Amino acid sequence: MQTQHYPATDNFLEALLKSQKSRLGAIFSDPSTYRLQVIFSRIDRDGQQLPHFTDYYYGVSPNTYFYPASTVKLPAAALALEKLNDLQIPGLDRDTPFFTAPLTGINTGVRHDRSAASGLPSVAHYIKKIFLISDNDAYNRLYEFIGQEPFNRRLWEMGYTAAQIRHRVGLPLYEADNRRTNAVCFREGNNILYQQPAAHSHLEFSPREDFAGKAWYNHLNHLEHQPMNFSHRNKLPLSSLHNILRSIIFPEAVTNRQRFRLTGEDYRFLYRCMSQHPDESTDPAYDKEQYYQAYTRFLLFGGDRNSRIPAHIRIFNKPGWAYGFLTDTAYIADFVNKTEFLLSASIFVNTTGILGDDQPAFEKTGKPFLRTLGEVIYESEVRRQKNIVPDLSRFELNDKKTTDQ
């Protein structure tokens, strides 16, 4: 049984944010300069515990571009698991050792993963690294496994027709290079379960005119004195990102078209990975000074090194940050106060006009704003009376025995 989405019938979100204008500071006072976009989904359960959503939007427009950065890793994780299911090969699963051949002039191969207890790469281990620390190479290997053309065609098939996933992240490659993807192989010992040859995408993308900034640093750290052209870079509108998250967290509440072809165990694995903190993981294990508890938790905790997230609050999210754009999409659950909601936001915090030197603005302006925005929504939802108390038990996955599975 599928639930309904109720469009917002009032200006609740705008009124709530305006009532907290002093707390929200400069970004909310000048939303156009900061390209502020917010989507909030209120969740009400019915007698069968099915979720019903009321969606509220602030500043969301198809004409407002933001660079999605690492948020594209969210659909990549789901599509990699989906592809494994679609292959229907006995013995092939997310834990099967997964090897990548080098692609001359474009990318190295992968035969080992020193961060894995087994020493071997796998789809599961890449997904863990994507959510724990937003690892770029982990995403790139899934991008290569999925393939540029299948990645986009599947998102378009699901209704996300404005999405354009065009490149790897963190690598200075030309557009043509990102159309090419490495050969991959899944192998148990000497037994090859699946081989995929190198591929070349001929997919045609609709033309765009997306620019930001006044100047930018190229991959040689030279300053280019012109606006940065994002027209050939990844695009994932905030509404698409928000709905992708919704379809992962509540697959029972979306149409068959919007649902990934995943199993119940796939979803449980994703929930563990999405909500786990770096200090809870032993495989991979990370330095707690470099990768602190709130490292990837921007909404509600601001990615603050000193934040301590209470055990009764879990955040299932994927942030992204690059070129002055800061984005987070999250499902937030409070098991004590029986509170849940979906919240996505994107901002452009670069005020100097020079892209590539954005970390100070992220820390001083961007992350504190997202923290406050999360607090405003959270406080409002905790106070709200609900006709049916939600059963959140399927999201209580912080048991040490399950987090590294």
Side-chain angles (χ1 to χ4, degrees), residues 1-4 46 50-52 251-257 259:
M1 180 177 177
Q2 291 162 1
T3 61
Q4 297 179 350
D46 63 22
L50 289 170
H52 298 260
E252 75 281 6
V254 301
T255 64
N256 289 334
R257 181 190 188 196
R259 195 176 303 159

Side-chain angles (χ1 to χ4, degrees), residues 196-346:
Q196 179 175 289
H200 183 203
S201 168
H202 298 281
L203 191 64
E204 290 190 14
F205 294 98
S206 58
R208 293 158 38 202
E209 293 290 331
D210 293 320
F211 294 87
K214 299 176 182 177
W216 54 284
Y217 285 100
N218 62 26
H219 68 280
L220 298 175
N221 207 33
H222 294 158
L223 188 62
E224 303 279 354
H225 293 278
Q226 57 187 344
M228 188 169 183
N229 187 353
F230 288 87
S231 303
H232 299 286
R233 291 181 174 266
N234 289 336
K235 179 180 181 180
L236 188 60
L238 194 67
S239 57
S240 298
L241 179 63
H242 189 82
N243 286 327
I244 288 170
L245 176 68
R246 188 199 321 255
S247 72
I248 291 172
I249 299 298
F250 298 106
E252 75 281 6
V254 301
T255 64
N256 289 334
R257 181 190 188 196
Q258 291 178 303
R259 195 176 303 159
F260 291 97
R261 294 187 289 266
L262 301 179
T263 66
E265 180 49 38
D266 289 330
Y267 286 114
R268 286 188 290 273
F269 173 71
L270 283 175
Y271 301 160
R272 288 193 291 270
C273 293
M274 293 172 71
S275 63
Q276 190 176 17
H277 306 148
D279 63 352
E280 294 173 329
S281 175
T282 57
D283 180 19
Y286 292 108
D287 178 84
K288 294 177 176 57
E289 284 299 310
Q290 183 178 5
Y291 298 110
Y292 39 92
Q293 192 182 62
Y295 182 75
T296 61
R297 312 295 181 214
F298 296 169
L299 291 165
L300 196 56
F301 293 97
D304 187 343
R305 178 179 298 275
N306 299 314
S307 286
R308 293 295 175 265
I309 302 174
H312 65 275
I313 294 177
R314 279 279 146 170
I315 300 177
F316 305 75
N317 74 313
K318 187 69 202 76
W321 62 100
Y323 300 118
F325 292 97
L326 186 62
T327 304
D328 199 1
T329 184
Y331 167 67
I332 297 176
D334 181 331
F335 305 121
V336 169
N337 291 296
K338 302 299 181 184
T339 296
E340 61 176 339
F341 58 92
L342 292 161
L343 180 62
S344 300
S346 182

Side-chain angles (χ1 to χ4, degrees), residues 179-199:
R179 289 182 172 274
R180 298 176 59 197
T181 47
N182 310 46
V184 304
C185 169
F186 289 81
R187 190 177 71 238
E188 285 282 8
N190 294 322
N191 183 27
I192 295 175
L193 298 177
Y194 173 69
Q195 287 189 97
Q196 179 175 289

